[in-house]
């Protein structure tokens, strides 16, 4: 089986999207990553990663309604594809397999 190769930032973004659906858009993803991972990531880096994830087929996007508050601009919302869901599940399994190898006394 071909696994989707994702980096740490991409993993955080995929997890954020899963947590925020149906309100997963660039700024909400940035805010959640800052809150939960204490990482202040530049919004342009988030958008570049979202573009990469969409090209890999891990996420899909849709535009929201036009908003006067946003000067007529529409938000771009993101959702996980089946491949994206599999990618974060596999990532979790890999991390858990490593954690299972570590003795609790090693970290104390």
């Amino acid at each position: 089986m071909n696994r989707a190769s994702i980096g740490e930032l991409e993993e955080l973004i995929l997890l954020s999207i899963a947590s925020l659906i149906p309100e997963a858009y660039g700024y909400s993803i940035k805010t959640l990553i800052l809150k939960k991972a204490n990482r202040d990531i530049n919004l342009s880096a988030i958008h570049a990663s979202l573009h990469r994830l969409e090209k890999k087929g891990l996420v899909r996007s849709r535009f929201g309604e036009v908003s006067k508050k946003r000067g007529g601009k529409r938000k771009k919302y993101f959702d996980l594809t089946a491949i994206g869901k599999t990618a974060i599940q596999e990532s979790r399994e890999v991390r858990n397999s490593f954690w299972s190898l570590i003795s609790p006394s090693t970290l104390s």
Side-chain angles (χ1 to χ4, degrees):
M1 175 173 146
N2 282 341
R3 294 183 53 193
S5 177
I6 59 171
E8 181 188 10
L9 177 57
E10 291 175 328
E11 181 181 7
L12 289 173
I13 290 172
L14 290 172
L15 291 168
S16 296
I17 292 170
S19 301
L20 292 166
I21 291 171
E23 293 297 318
Y25 59 94
Y27 189 75
S28 68
I29 293 166
K30 174 184 171 41
T31 302
L32 185 60
I33 291 172
L34 177 60
K35 181 179 176 183
K36 294 295 182 183
N38 198 28
R39 291 190 48 193
D40 190 11
I41 299 172
N42 186 299
L43 191 55
S44 61
I46 302 261
H47 284 291
S49 295
L50 286 166
H51 180 72
R52 233 180 1 262
L53 290 167
E54 196 163 22
K55 283 182 76 172
K56 289 181 180 182
L58 302 174
V59 301
R60 63 181 157 260
S61 64
R62 65 177 168 77
F63 284 103
E65 298 298 317
V66 173
S67 167
K68 285 184 183 180
K69 182 178 180 181
R70 295 176 41 86
K73 293 184 178 180
R74 301 181 300 167
K75 288 181 184 173
K76 190 173 188 180
Y77 293 95
F78 293 87
D79 192 8
L80 299 177
T81 63
I83 298 167
K85 291 174 186 177
T86 300
I88 58 173
Q89 289 168 341
E90 288 176 350
S91 178
R92 182 179 190 173
E93 290 168 7
V94 167
R95 289 180 185 268
N96 287 342
S97 71
F98 273 95
W99 277 106
S100 70
L101 299 174
I102 300 171
S103 168
S105 64
T106 302
L107 301 176
S108 56

